[in-house]
């Protein structure tokens, strides 16, 4: 069965500092991996996704994530945090390889950005 | 206009009342989902539908029912609401064609409070 673990329910960084949000997954088939962002009082918006091919994936708003199969990880990074990045971030795994399964979500990491 | 529209956006009701949350989409996707979001628990899948004639239970379907009235419409019902169904509910759609790889597209959410 698939599962997703996000390390740290709350992360706080200073404006301009590196953002690192951690995500580890388990999957018995080649995974499709996603990061979503939820701003206050809004729905979830896709930040980026990994399906096949290049393991370093670039998304919107300067975020990127790297798929590391050996570490079963898909950590989200941004070199320099901005106040507008304050939100909750969700990692999700889906079944790739033609299985077309549903997405399983992690419990989320709330990012705070200090001025 | 939003691609995935949920109504109502906010609802306060009393224990024992019947409640329906409605979702409509203009993305032309076959798959539709209802998720529930609770603080610290992430998103949990209630029901999903791969087409009009296909309805499936998710992780937490007890106390809920759904109806897929058309490809574009998927409603969630609470037959007799109870306080622990107080949560933020999201409708989502997905597709596995035309470049789509199962990522979810979310509505803006329906906040339900059961007193």
């Amino acid at each position: 069965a698939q599962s997703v673990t996000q390390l740290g329910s709350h992360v706080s960084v200073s404006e301009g500092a590196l953002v690192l949000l951690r995500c580890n997954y388990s999957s018995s088939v080649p995974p499709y991996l996603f990061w979503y962002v939820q701003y206050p009082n809004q729905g979830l918006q896709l930040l980026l996704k990994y399906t096949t091919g290049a393991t370093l994936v670039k998304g919107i708003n300067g975020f990127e994530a790297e798929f590391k199969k050996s570490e079963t990880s898909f950590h989200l990074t941004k070199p320099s945090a901005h106040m507008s990045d304050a939100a909750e971030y969700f990692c999700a795994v889906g079944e790739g390889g033609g299985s077309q399964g549903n997405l399983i979500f992690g419990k989320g990491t709330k990012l705070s950005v200090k001025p | 206009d939003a691609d995935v529209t949920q109504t109502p956006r906010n609802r306060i009701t009393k224990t024992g009342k019947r409640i329906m949350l409605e979702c409509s989409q203009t993305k032309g996707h076959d798959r539709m989902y209802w998720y529930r979001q609770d603080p610290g628990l992430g998103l949990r899948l209630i029901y999903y539908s791969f087409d009009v004639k296909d309805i499936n239970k998710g992780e937490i379907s007890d106390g809920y029912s759904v109806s897929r009235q058309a490809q574009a419409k998927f409603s969630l019902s609470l037959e007799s609401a109870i306080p622990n169904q107080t949560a933020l509910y999201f409708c989502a759609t997905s597709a596995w064609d035309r470049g789509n790889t199962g990522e979810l597209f979310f509505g803006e959410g329906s906040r339900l409070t059961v007193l």
Side-chain angles (χ1 to χ4, degrees), chain A residues 49-110:
Chain A
K49 66 179 180 181
Y50 167 79
T51 54
T52 59
T55 57
L56 182 62
V57 180
K58 295 187 185 298
I60 61 173
N61 302 335
F63 283 93
E64 62 182 35
E66 186 172 11
F67 169 57
K68 293 188 176 181
K69 184 178 178 180
S70 61
E71 299 177 7
T72 60
S73 70
F74 191 57
H75 301 333
L76 182 70
T77 61
K78 182 174 180 178
S80 177
H82 191 272
M83 297 296 291
S84 61
D85 295 327
E88 190 159 19
Y89 293 79
F90 293 91
C91 182
V93 61
E95 292 179 334
S99 299
Q100 301 187 6
N102 294 328
L103 298 192
I104 305 297
F105 285 83
K107 295 187 187 310
T109 298
K110 195 163 290 188

Side-chain angles (χ1 to χ4, degrees), chain A residues 32 34 36 38 41-44 46 49 51 88 90 95-96 100-103 105-108, chain B residues 9 31 33 35 37 40-43 45 48 50 88 90 96 99 101-104 106-108:
Chain A
Y32 286 3
F34 307 83
Y36 283 84
Q38 183 182 28
N41 300 315
Q42 295 187 23
L44 282 74
L46 182 68
K49 66 179 180 181
T51 54
E88 190 159 19
F90 293 91
E95 292 179 334
Q100 301 187 6
N102 294 328
L103 298 192
F105 285 83
K107 295 187 187 310
Chain B
R9 294 289 315 279
R31 299 187 178 195
Y33 306 77
Y35 283 88
Q37 184 181 21
L41 296 181
L43 276 79
L45 183 60
Y48 61 102
F50 285 179
L88 184 56
F90 284 104
W96 283 85
T101 48
E103 60 263 42
L104 292 167
F106 287 86
E108 294 194 338

Side-chain angles (χ1 to χ4, degrees), chain B:
Chain B
D1 289 340
D3 293 325
V4 183
T5 302
Q6 294 183 230
T7 57
R9 294 289 315 279
N10 287 283
R11 181 72 183 268
I12 299 173
T13 191
K14 294 182 178 179
T15 298
K17 294 292 188 182
R18 184 177 188 272
I19 294 296
M20 179 181 286
L21 306 180
E22 297 183 328
C23 177
S24 63
Q25 55 118 341
T26 58
K27 298 193 72 67
H29 291 168
D30 290 330
R31 299 187 178 195
M32 297 188 73
Y33 306 77
W34 277 104
Y35 283 88
R36 169 178 171 159
Q37 184 181 21
D38 298 277
L41 296 181
L43 276 79
R44 293 182 290 168
L45 183 60
I46 306 172
Y47 270 96
Y48 61 102
S49 169
F50 285 179
D51 65 42
V52 174
K53 296 181 180 179
D54 181 74
I55 304 288
N56 303 278
K57 292 183 178 180
E59 178 187 354
I60 53 163
S61 59
D62 286 350
Y64 301 95
S65 63
V66 291
S67 173
R68 185 83 183 264
Q69 301 95 326
Q71 189 206 30
K73 295 183 182 296
F74 192 38
S75 60
L76 175 72
S77 293
L78 290 67
E79 296 301 325
S80 180
I82 56 177
N84 77 0
Q85 291 177 313
T86 293
L88 184 56
Y89 291 86
F90 284 104
C91 176
T93 71
S94 76
W96 283 85
D97 58 16
R98 290 172 283 148
N100 295 300
T101 48
E103 60 263 42
L104 292 167
F105 296 85
F106 287 86
E108 294 194 338
S110 296
R111 186 170 295 281
L112 176 65
T113 302
V114 184
L115 302 176

